[in-house]
Amino acid sequence: MKIMKKRTTLVTFVILTTALSNISSSFAQDPTPTQSSTPSTSSTAAHWYDKYSIKGYTQLRYNRLLETNPKLKCEQCDKSWGDGNGFFLRRARLIFSGDAAERLYIYIQPDFASDGAPNSQQYFQIRDAYFDVALDSSKEFRFRLGQSKVPYGWENLQSSSNRLALDRTDGINSAAPNERDLGVFFYWAPAEIRKRFKMLVDKGLKGTGDYGVVGAGVYNGQSANRPEGNNNLHKVVRVTYPWELPSGQFFETSIQGYTGLFTVQNKTTGISGKDTSTDQRAAASFIWYPQPLGFQAEWNVGKGPKYMGATHSIGSANLQGGYLQAMYKIDVRNQSLTPFTRWQYFAGGKKQELDARAYRVRDVEVGVEWQPFPALEFTADYTISDRRMADATQQSNNQKGSLLRLQAQFNY
């Protein structure tokens, strides 16, 4: 019995030793998935700043070359037109953005070159501060909450860093001064079209970025960084689509409209009329992306506050305006040269200006943008302008003239 127990123990020991030897050899020859595919914890630790990015741009301008009329000014577009002006920081912006969570995207953009008070410049001001909440994993359906661009007008949605002409047109931009307001917007676009929107920017085709195929929302309506002035929210709807032809050419068509009430708060003492007036517009947009020849056309009609000279009051009046633009993109040795020309017209009131100032604008611009490398752009824009305006302090002020405008833009 003892001999049999010893033999059994010996056999068991030999089997265990052989098995352990085989397992050890197997580990040595074929590492486990954990060993082969997962780096050490120290090298994969996520940092909060991995989720976010910082970028921005600055625009430096000079508008006094070849100037024929120093009294010609443009309060809406560029306050450094005309007498008493020199070099001017038009924009100086930093953009902080990223995914705070899988379905929560944040975007905050301050401007360090805002006018704070008369004869005071370079004030800090929030331009964008919004949060996108996605309803699905591909982010085709999302709500945008906070201060952001109002989805009205193609050129309003196009970033100033991408635009060829130095300023937006009076007719389109007067619909949403500063392009932004505080509210809630809904956007929808298929994943494939969202990629197309991004590509139209990344390839230097001057796109707007992703504001959805369908955009709709409610917002205060008094423009960015101003509190609501009445008990009525503005409503807006926009439908757009970037088409692709078999040749690879892209073009985009859009329709949009908004309605609400606007309260004129910047008024001359003693002026009569209603403070709050109907504010509504509809617009159509057509964009033929420059590959290499491009066209832009937008026009809007509507009704809004306007200074009435005959009665020395503010009332609701019809308005219309838009623009036509042509450009040609030339790429040579990683540099880009884009000559352009633009004609614009506007007749109506500008709700954000003193007394909802009445305007009639006819401008023609001829210019060229040169981008020697992505971080640097130069633009020369020769403007021929005919502007007539009226408010309670000036019943008729018609200024005509021309000037050469220069801009250096730094992208970082």
Side-chain angles (χ1 to χ4, degrees):
M1 292 292 293
K2 291 182 179 180
I3 294 174
M4 290 181 63
K5 287 182 179 180
K6 288 182 179 181
R7 287 180 178 177
T8 302
T9 302
L10 180 62
V11 170
T12 302
F13 175 77
V14 171
I15 292 173
L16 289 174
T17 302
T18 303
L20 289 172
S21 177
N22 290 338
I23 292 171
S24 176
S25 298
S26 176
F27 281 165
Q29 295 173 5
D30 301 305
T32 64
T34 301
Q35 292 173 316
S36 62
S37 61
T38 305
S40 64
T41 303
S42 60
S43 63
T44 60
H47 304 288
W48 68 267
Y49 47 80
D50 293 331
K51 299 180 180 180
Y52 304 100
S53 68
I54 297 177
K55 61 180 181 179
Y57 66 99
T58 295
Q59 295 172 338
L60 176 65
R61 293 186 181 176
Y62 187 76
N63 293 319
R64 305 299 303 277
L65 289 178
L66 306 181
E67 181 182 64
T68 63
N69 181 4
K71 294 182 179 180
L72 177 66
K73 295 179 178 291
C74 180
E75 180 175 323
Q76 175 182 326
C77 53
D78 186 337
K79 293 182 175 62
S80 65
W81 282 33
D83 193 33
N85 285 296
F87 289 104
F88 182 64
L89 276 181
R90 181 68 173 92
R91 294 173 177 89
R93 299 184 178 179
L94 280 176
I95 301 167
F96 178 80
S97 62
D99 293 304
E102 182 180 354
R103 297 189 185 183
L104 178 60
Y105 174 79
I106 71 171
Y107 187 100
I108 298 175
Q109 178 181 213
D111 193 334
F112 295 87
S114 298
D115 290 346
N119 302 316
S120 298
Q121 297 177 339
Q122 280 63 274
Y123 277 70
F124 176 93
Q125 185 185 72
I126 290 293
R127 304 300 288 179
D128 296 280
Y130 65 78
F131 306 85
D132 279 1
V133 180
L135 304 184
D136 60 307
S137 58
S138 59
K139 302 179 182 179
E140 295 184 347
F141 300 86
R142 56 206 160 98
F143 280 95
R144 177 165 294 177
L145 298 85
Q147 181 164 293
S148 66
K149 288 186 175 179
V150 176
Y152 181 88
W154 189 90
E155 74 161 1
N156 278 357
L157 296 177
Q158 181 190 41
S159 172
S160 299
S161 62
N162 289 334
R163 191 178 57 252
L164 286 170
L166 295 188
D167 292 297
R168 295 178 174 90
T169 56
D170 295 61
I172 300 299
N173 192 235
S174 56
N178 297 315
E179 306 87 58
R180 298 161 172 85
D181 212 319
L182 192 60
V184 177
F185 304 96
F186 169 79
Y187 293 108
W188 167 78
E192 177 184 355
I193 302 304
R194 295 195 70 203
K195 293 178 182 178
R196 186 174 299 177
F197 282 132
K198 184 176 185 300
M199 179 272 296
L200 291 170
V201 174
D202 293 344
K203 291 184 67 175
L205 298 180
K206 307 296 185 181
T208 61
D210 182 8
Y211 289 88
V213 169
V214 176
V218 292
Y219 58 103
N220 284 342
Q222 292 294 127
S223 79
N225 300 312
R226 294 183 180 181
E228 176 60 304
N230 52 71
N231 293 321
N232 176 274
L233 293 177
H234 276 55
K235 296 90 176 174
V236 64
V237 176
R238 178 176 185 259
V239 179
T240 191
Y241 195 85
W243 308 85
E244 182 179 11
L245 298 178
S247 62
Q249 175 69 51
F250 292 95
F251 71 96
E252 188 170 347
T253 54
S254 317
I255 56 173
Q256 52 255 294
Y258 75 83
T259 184
L261 298 177
F262 186 88
T263 300
V264 177
Q265 298 173 325
N266 186 13
K267 298 194 310 176
T268 302
T269 303
I271 196 169
S272 62
K274 295 181 178 180
D275 292 345
T276 301
S277 304
T278 298
D279 179 26
Q280 53 188 204
R281 298 194 190 191
S285 311
F286 175 82
I287 313 300
W288 184 270
Y289 286 95
Q291 296 175 278
L293 182 65
F295 298 98
Q296 290 178 209
E298 294 192 88
W299 199 264
N300 74 163
V301 296
K303 197 172 186 179
K306 178 185 175 182
Y307 173 73
M308 306 294 191
T311 58
H312 193 58
S313 63
I314 297 174
S316 183
N318 294 332
L319 58 83
Q320 64 169 322
Y323 69 95
L324 300 172
Q325 178 175 298
M327 56 276 197
Y328 196 89
K329 188 174 186 293
I330 305 168
D331 295 317
V332 180
R333 297 180 180 178
N334 298 320
Q335 298 186 34
S336 178
L337 190 71
T338 309
F340 64 90
T341 183
R342 186 177 74 175
W343 168 85
Q344 67 157 312
Y345 174 83
F346 175 64
K350 290 190 180 180
K351 56 190 177 185
Q352 76 278 16
E353 294 189 14
L354 177 67
D355 301 331
R357 189 176 285 132
Y359 272 88
R360 194 271 294 133
V361 176
R362 295 190 184 101
D363 281 5
V364 175
E365 297 170 71
V366 179
V368 61
E369 178 192 271
W370 173 42
Q371 186 181 81
F373 50 91
L376 180 63
E377 298 176 14
F378 295 104
T379 302
D381 185 330
Y382 187 73
T383 301
I384 304 170
S385 184
D386 179 355
R387 293 173 172 263
R388 185 177 67 215
M389 61 203 79
D391 56 39
T393 65
Q394 49 184 2
Q395 293 297 310
S396 181
N397 182 5
N398 194 180
Q399 300 295 337
K400 299 180 182 180
S402 58
L403 64 159
L404 177 62
R405 311 176 63 200
L406 303 177
Q407 174 179 281
Q409 177 173 302
F410 311 94
N411 306 309
Y412 39 87

